[in-house]
Amino acid sequence: MAQKKKTKIGAWIIVGVVLVGLAGFGTGGLTSNIRTLGTVGDKDITVAAYQRTLDQQIRALSAQFGTQISFQQAQAFGIDRQALSQVVQTRTLDNEAAQMGISAGDLAVFDRISAIGAFQSAGGFNRDTYRLVLQQSGQSESEFEAEIREDLARTLLQAAIVSGVPGAAAPADALVRYVAEARDVTLLRVSADMLTAPVPGATDADITAFYEANGDEFLLPEAREITYAWMTPAMIQDQMEVTDLAIETLYQDRITDFVQPERRLVERLNYADPAAAQLAGGRLASGDATFDALVTERGLTLADVDMGDLGRDELPANTADAVFTATPGDVVGPFPTSLGAALFRVNAVLNAQEVTLDEASDDLRAELAAEAARSVINDDFDRITDLLAGGATLEDLAERTDLVLGQISWTPDVTDGIAAYDNFRAAAEALSEGAFPALEVLSDGGVFALRLDSVTPARVPPLQDIRADVAARWQLQAQQDAVLARAAEIAADLTADTDLAALGMTPRVESNLTRRSFVEGMPEGFNDAVFALAPGEARVVDAGNGALIVRLDAITDADPTATDQAAQRASISASIAAGIAQDLFDAYVQAVQQATRITINQATVDAVNAQLQ
């Protein structure tokens, strides 16, 4: 089925033509003397049509990128060539329709024009509005009506081309059978504790062979040897003096964070009629109804009546006492409110909380000290920058300022110390040898400067340096190979009478699996294995740290005519038919274009494009 980007059948909808024509670059053409770019058969390619199509495609591209695309950017994407190709295709169909004698009558033209919103007034189609809009867009009535007539004729031609496309029932049935076929399987996990003999240790030859065959597994990434100088608020905040008065002032400024009065989780059910509220309250009191049931009767949900957690001063004065003396689960009221009579349910009590000044003092002191440290660093920023500009090295900074010198062998996997900061990692990755160190800011208000000393390329360490790691990897692989071999033995002897309990295996049964099913915990390739099996066949799937035996127990064929498959079948059939119709239409247009004389004045096209720069 053709998948490439194509002009959609019926895309020349007249309303779109009008709106784009009225809102585009304008229809006056390049100059009063140059109105065409060329011809297709007996049809002219107008400058106005090219401009409208170009504008439409630039608007579509701008919408795709979420920003206005300039004409130069559109040219880089080939939009000007696409627009010209589309106009040529349109005029090819117009010429073909004319050659075949296909035309639309005056009544059809009027019906189409009178349905366009731009020409409507309070009483419907308005001829004066019609003339005014066309005049403002630079089109005459005769030109516009000729376009409408050609659009209608072209639509008739398009419909005739694709109307004979047959249905796609057979391929749709085949796809539904493929997609919806279901299978029942039995799954058995095989682990290392089911091996009948221990896996021997690696010999020197084994280790060497494994190292040589799997060197990429031990590859060390490129490392950047970096010298840095840095200072963070945490490094110097212990040196900051914080007065008790400052701590107390901050505590009072944020008193609501430390002293919180009792609050209640409250729901409110309103009734416009006070009598209805009284009746509802009586039903609650007698046990004839619950609060939840009353909410449902009103056509509401609990989310609709939830008021959240409220303090006493956030409730009306006439309800606050009742709500704050109620216990969780109690319903009080009804009470008059601005929204009518209301019942209030208390769901929970949030006890009053108070953190004293003494309890908060240490945290507040640390916060103030950190803020003071950030201020000191900020004040030193210009001085440190001037030192770097004057040629000071990072070592000089460590001697003459509070910056601390350090070194790191950095890779993207290193996230300790200064490498925990995103700012540092980004700078380290972009750093080049010989670059002039610059002072940069860390996310916590600290500062740092870097120097790249050298780059160690990605490499595989010598075997003697990683021998223990290679031996451990070999052992894991040898164990996995042994597990897979044991699983293959079990699968070969697996029958309906096999005593799985004696093998220490517990079967897991999965039913009605389709090719799109997801079974949690299954290894890669599980679905492929399931649908490659014949009934009764068992296959071993590598599970990474064990093996999985998959046995196919039953196949349930899909029925494309079944009710639950009908919608899927119809969708697939429609998609296939649309694809065939599009391919047929494209082939027809291509054939007609090859048989039609097409002349393009490239100098005029270039002149129009230059006007739009």
Side-chain angles (χ1 to χ4, degrees), residues 127-468:
R127 180 163 289 281
D128 291 334
T129 301
Y130 171 57
R131 293 194 184 98
L132 178 61
V133 170
L134 291 182
Q135 182 180 359
Q136 290 174 339
S137 68
Q139 287 181 291
S140 68
E141 291 182 48
S142 59
E143 290 173 336
F144 182 71
E145 288 166 8
E147 286 186 15
I148 296 293
R149 197 178 303 277
E150 287 181 331
D151 287 330
L152 290 170
R154 187 169 60 247
T155 300
L156 290 172
L157 176 59
Q158 293 165 356
I161 294 169
V162 301
S163 61
V165 174
D173 287 349
L175 283 173
V176 169
R177 288 191 178 94
Y178 177 82
V179 172
E181 177 190 295
R183 298 196 167 199
D184 300 342
V185 295
T186 295
L187 309 178
L188 301 167
R189 285 200 175 271
V190 180
S191 57
D193 57 8
M194 298 173 63
L195 295 176
T196 57
V199 178
T203 64
D204 289 343
D206 291 333
I207 295 173
T208 300
F210 190 83
Y211 171 80
E212 292 174 351
N214 301 279
D216 289 347
E217 292 188 21
F218 308 100
L219 185 69
L220 296 178
E222 175 187 278
R224 317 197 105 202
E225 308 304 325
I226 293 173
T227 297
Y228 61 90
W230 71 321
M231 177 170 53
T232 68
M235 291 179 180
I236 62 172
Q237 71 179 46
D238 289 345
Q239 305 170 27
M240 302 297 107
E241 293 186 5
V242 179
T243 66
D244 291 341
L245 177 59
I247 294 173
E248 184 175 357
T249 300
L250 181 59
Y251 177 82
Q252 293 299 333
D253 288 344
R254 292 167 45 187
I255 192 66
T256 55
D257 293 340
F258 301 110
V259 179
Q260 297 181 357
E262 179 183 307
R263 299 176 70 80
R264 300 288 175 106
L265 295 179
V266 181
E267 293 169 328
R268 179 182 63 190
L269 181 59
N270 285 91
Y271 290 86
D273 182 6
Q278 288 290 349
L279 179 61
R283 292 174 62 197
L284 284 172
S286 65
D288 290 341
T290 64
F291 187 84
D292 290 358
L294 293 177
V295 170
T296 302
E297 288 178 6
R298 292 289 318 282
L300 303 172
T301 66
L302 293 178
D304 297 326
V305 300
D306 185 20
M307 298 181 71
D309 61 291
L310 303 175
R312 180 182 288 270
D313 57 351
E314 295 174 283
L315 287 164
N318 63 333
T319 63
D321 288 342
V323 169
F324 271 78
T325 55
T327 58
D330 288 350
V331 179
V332 296
F335 297 105
T337 72
S338 59
L339 299 176
L343 297 170
F344 294 83
R345 179 166 70 175
V346 177
N347 285 323
V349 175
L350 304 180
N351 294 325
Q353 296 182 353
E354 179 177 359
V355 178
T356 66
L357 176 59
D358 287 342
E359 293 170 335
S361 180
D362 289 344
D363 290 339
L364 294 177
R365 185 183 301 277
E367 183 178 335
L368 289 169
E371 182 61 34
R374 282 190 290 271
S375 179
V376 168
I377 294 172
N378 186 61
D379 291 343
D380 279 350
F381 190 91
D382 290 340
R383 182 172 71 90
I384 299 171
T385 299
D386 289 341
L387 289 173
L388 286 171
T393 66
L394 299 183
E395 288 78 6
D396 294 334
L397 292 184
E399 292 180 3
R400 300 168 63 179
T401 71
D402 289 330
L403 269 68
V404 176
L405 195 69
Q407 290 183 319
I408 186 172
S409 182
W410 182 80
T411 72
D413 295 331
V414 177
T415 57
D416 297 331
I418 192 172
Y421 292 89
D422 290 340
N423 319 58
F424 172 86
R425 292 197 297 274
E429 186 171 359
L431 195 58
S432 59
E433 287 190 73
F436 185 79
L439 197 62
E440 301 189 48
V441 179
L442 294 169
S443 57
D444 61 359
V447 293
F448 70 100
L450 305 177
R451 181 182 69 227
L452 180 61
D453 298 323
S454 64
V455 176
T456 303
R459 66 211 182 280
V460 177
L463 176 56
Q464 61 267 25
D465 293 348
I466 57 171
R467 187 178 187 83

